[in-house]
């Protein structure tokens, strides 16, 4: 089947890479694995041989039909036709209460799906994802590096992230113009922001990175109205930053997760 450009499809055709990805996941015979975007099944066959159950989520109807025929005799395989940007991950793996995820994600929606996986951390405990190399660089970027951004702070807050290995363009058909990287994300069992903290924390981080060349002070002075109202209740951005022991002239990429959380607590006092 030909890849559909509209769906951002690049099929993995390198058996060696497929084996490395599955080995990184190390499926267990007593678990349910969720595969997002199985495509032609490069990973699916290996997963279905080793995992207790594989739930494959595929949007492309033609690919889904082919997978249904190919795995029609496998009691370990369940196919769900649906959009990973809409499907409830915890619901599709039921009755399993927990799952681990493996996916070769289209570059154009990778970040959005990643955020949905973090939202589903009640059931998703770990993910092995193949993403564009530049995206993974942002996911694992420490403070004071050019790649540091909103997604870096988000991932650090909820996950332990580890870049595993790079994948050359030749491993795919059609051949993309960029390299990929396989990354492991393990959800943190303790210490992640709770729902109450997250309500203020993520709008705050988003506002802080609004214009990367500006200082954190200048970005917060022009935050969205709802957040700005909260900031003004603690005597403005300058006072809030000083109270949180953050130099107002720093840029957002220099702040640690601890800095962001301390600033959110300071603003949330009112």
């Amino acid at each position: 089947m030909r890849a559909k450009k509209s769906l951002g499809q690049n099929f993995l055709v390198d058996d060696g890479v497929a084996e490395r990805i599955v080995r990184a996941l190390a499926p267990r015979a007593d678990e349910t694995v969720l595969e997002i975007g199985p495509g032609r099944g490069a990973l699916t066959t290996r997963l279905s041989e080793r995992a207790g159950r594989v739930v494959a989520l595929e949007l492309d109807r033609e690919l889904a039909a082919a997978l249904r025929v190919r795995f029609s005799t496998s009691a370990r395989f369940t196919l769900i036709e649906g959009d990973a940007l809409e499907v409830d991950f915890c619901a599709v793996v039921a009755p399993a209460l927990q799952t681990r995820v493996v996916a070769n994600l289209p570059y154009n929606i990778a970040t959005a799906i990643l955020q949905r996986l973090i939202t589903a951390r009640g059931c998703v405990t770990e993910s092995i994802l193949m993403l564009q190399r530049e995206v993974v660089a942002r996911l694992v970027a420490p403070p004071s590096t050019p790649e540091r951004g909103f997604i870096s702070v988000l991932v650090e807050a909820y996950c332990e992230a580890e870049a595993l290995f790079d994948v050359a363009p030749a491993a795919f058909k059609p051949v993309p113009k960029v390299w990929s990287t396989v990354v492991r994300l393990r959800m943190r069992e303790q210490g992640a922001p709770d729902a109450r903290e997250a309500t203020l924390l993520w709008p705050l981080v988003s506002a802080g990175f609004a214009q990367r060349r500006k200082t954190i002070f200048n970005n917060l002075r022009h935050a969205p109205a709802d957040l700005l109202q909260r900031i003004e209740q603690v005597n403005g951005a300058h006072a809030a930053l000083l109270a949180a022991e953050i130099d107002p002239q720093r840029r957002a990429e220099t702040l640690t997760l601890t800095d962001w959380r301390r600033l959110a607590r300071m603003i949330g006092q009112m």
Side-chain angles (χ1 to χ4, degrees), residues 127 155-162 183-189:
S127 298
V155 168
E156 183 182 356
Y158 295 109
C159 309
E160 296 175 1
E162 177 188 8
V183 63
R184 183 196 310 277
L185 301 176
R186 285 197 177 104
M187 299 298 174
R188 296 190 185 278
E189 295 182 4

Side-chain angles (χ1 to χ4, degrees), residues 167-188:
V167 181
F172 303 91
K173 285 189 178 180
V175 177
K177 296 179 180 179
V178 298
W179 280 66
S180 300
T181 298
V182 176
V183 63
R184 183 196 310 277
L185 301 176
R186 285 197 177 104
M187 299 298 174
R188 296 190 185 278

Side-chain angles (χ1 to χ4, degrees), residues 41-57:
L43 302 177
T44 316
T45 300
R46 292 172 171 82
L47 292 170
S48 63
E49 291 171 350
R50 305 175 200 185
R53 176 173 170 241
V54 177
V55 176
L57 176 60

Side-chain angles (χ1 to χ4, degrees), residues 92-268:
V92 299
V93 300
L97 299 179
Q98 292 187 332
T99 188
R100 293 192 296 155
V101 172
V102 62
N104 171 22
L105 295 180
Y107 300 145
N108 58 338
I109 58 171
T111 301
I113 293 178
L114 171 61
Q115 293 186 57
R116 297 202 74 235
L117 289 171
I118 290 174
T119 301
R121 61 191 178 278
C123 67
V124 175
T125 60
E126 181 181 352
S127 298
I128 302 292
L129 308 176
M130 183 150 56
L131 307 167
Q132 186 174 340
R133 185 162 61 178
E134 288 75 11
V135 172
V136 174
R138 292 198 294 270
L139 300 188
V140 302
S144 298
T145 58
E147 295 81 12
R148 182 81 165 178
F150 175 89
I151 195 66
S152 317
V153 183
L154 180 71
V155 168
E156 183 182 356
Y158 295 109
C159 309
E160 296 175 1
E162 177 188 8
L164 298 179
F165 56 90
D166 292 336
V167 181
F172 303 91
K173 285 189 178 180
V175 177
K177 296 179 180 179
V178 298
W179 280 66
S180 300
T181 298
V182 176
V183 63
R184 183 196 310 277
L185 301 176
R186 285 197 177 104
M187 299 298 174
R188 296 190 185 278
E189 295 182 4
Q190 297 179 340
D194 59 23
R196 181 178 179 180
E197 182 182 5
T199 300
L200 178 59
L201 178 61
W202 300 123
L204 178 64
V205 176
S206 180
F209 280 102
Q211 297 190 53
R212 297 183 62 89
R213 294 185 178 183
K214 289 190 174 183
T215 64
I216 182 68
F217 169 62
N218 281 328
N219 276 334
L220 294 185
R221 282 201 308 161
H222 299 93
D226 290 349
L227 177 58
L228 189 58
Q229 183 179 13
R230 299 289 297 273
I231 294 172
E232 292 302 325
Q233 289 176 342
V234 291
N235 300 318
H238 194 273
L241 288 163
L242 291 179
E245 301 178 3
I246 298 170
D247 184 344
Q249 296 307 307
R250 289 170 64 182
R251 291 183 177 177
E253 66 266 23
T254 70
L255 270 64
T256 66
L257 174 60
T258 300
D259 289 332
W260 286 114
R261 296 182 75 171
R262 188 168 61 247
L263 180 59
R265 287 194 296 270
M266 181 59 58
I267 296 173

